[in-house]
Amino acid sequence: QVQLQESGPGLVKPSQTLSLTCTVFGGSIGRGDYYWSWIRQPPGKGLEWIGYTYYSGSTYYNPSLLGRVSISMDTSDNQFFLKLNSVTAADTAVYFCARAAGWYGKAFDYWGPGALVTVPS
Amino acid sequence: QSALTQPASVSGSPGQSVTISCSGTATDVGGYNYVSWYQHHPGTAPKLIIYQVNSRPSGVSNRFSGSKSGNTASLTISGLQAEDEAYYYCSSYTSSSISVFGGGTKLTVL
């Protein structure tokens, strides 16, 4: 059974960099037709796709975050990472890591419990 | 890439059926059979309930069904139960090789 767990600071100052780690248990992130993803939900709002990294290392990002976002992976530790630069209060959200399976039509089949990151205004 | 369009809220009584729509464009919903649906109870992780328009993952009730016509996908929940009260989100793969979510629909079971 695949499990994902987000970790990282819960408070980030404005203009600094938000950094989160997702640790994957029960499956290797370096194999298979999987897209390792970050998704966020601002308070009182809906889900927003941030981006994903493919097991080959290719990355894809939400155009609205281009220039500020970076997703990378470390297959030796079975982790992948989110970095979001120059944060503002609008980046306050619960951040989820998730797996999208190619054979599921890139549906997100496993999710972490989510991590709240607050950027004070 | 704009978010997919969903109604803000729907409601139904126990035992009834409700349908939630998800409107996109020819470059996302209409262009691929890669529409998925998620059930989200606040404070928990979203749960995949439909993938590839109309397929259910193992363990998901057959009261949940999906369909698509043109640029609009739909989720139907039959035999409404109290535990179905939640937020529902659609998602689609797009021609830009990225994913997009709908704005979410709050389902209230009366």
Side-chain angles (χ1 to χ4, degrees):
Chain A
Q1 179 76 346
V2 175
Q3 294 183 332
L4 295 86
Q5 179 67 58
E6 304 88 354
S7 58
L11 185 66
V12 181
K13 294 180 180 178
S15 80
Q16 295 193 341
T17 297
L18 180 159
S19 296
L20 291 174
T21 297
C22 183
T23 303
V24 179
F25 304 94
S28 171
I29 67 170
R31 291 199 301 265
D33 188 16
Y34 300 121
Y35 296 74
W36 300 99
S37 314
W38 288 98
I39 295 156
R40 68 181 181 179
Q41 183 177 33
K45 296 187 178 181
L47 300 174
E48 179 183 28
W49 178 79
I50 296 171
Y52 38 48
T53 183
Y54 193 44
Y55 79 101
S56 64
S58 301
T59 52
Y60 305 84
Y61 300 123
N62 187 324
S64 69
L65 297 172
L66 276 176
R68 290 206 298 138
V69 64
S70 173
I71 297 175
S72 58
M73 58 196 303
D74 181 344
T75 56
S76 60
D77 285 339
N78 228 37
Q79 296 176 324
F80 62 104
F81 312 99
L82 171 68
K83 290 190 184 299
L84 185 64
N85 303 325
S86 305
V87 297
T88 69
D91 295 308
T92 293
V94 175
Y95 286 77
F96 296 98
C97 60
R99 186 186 84 169
W103 66 76
Y104 267 8
K106 299 177 178 64
F108 304 98
D109 57 347
Y110 288 99
W111 296 65
L116 175 62
V117 178
T118 300
V119 182
S121 54
Chain B
Q1 183 69 47
S2 299
L4 306 176
T5 301
Q6 298 181 232
S9 63
V10 297
S11 63
S13 299
Q16 289 185 333
S17 295
V18 295
T19 296
I20 300 170
S21 61
C22 170
S23 296
T25 69
T27 61
D28 41 61
V29 173
Y32 304 89
N33 287 327
Y34 284 179
V35 176
S36 51
W37 289 90
Y38 304 85
Q39 179 189 61
H40 190 205
H41 291 102
T44 69
K47 175 186 176 183
L48 176 66
I49 54 173
I50 295 288
Y51 67 96
Q52 288 183 281
V53 175
N54 56 15
S55 297
R56 280 187 310 276
S58 175
V60 172
S61 172
N62 60 8
R63 297 185 301 104
F64 296 94
S65 62
S67 62
K68 190 182 84 166
S69 177
N71 297 337
T72 300
S74 298
L75 171 71
T76 298
I77 308 171
S78 59
L80 269 180
Q81 300 178 0
E83 59 262 36
D84 298 332
E85 185 161 296
Y87 290 84
Y88 290 84
Y89 294 90
C90 61
S91 178
S92 178
Y93 182 68
T94 79
S95 61
S96 302
S97 301
I98 65 174
S99 291
V100 62
F101 282 98
T105 299
K106 182 177 182 180
L107 168 62
T108 300
V109 180
L110 302 170

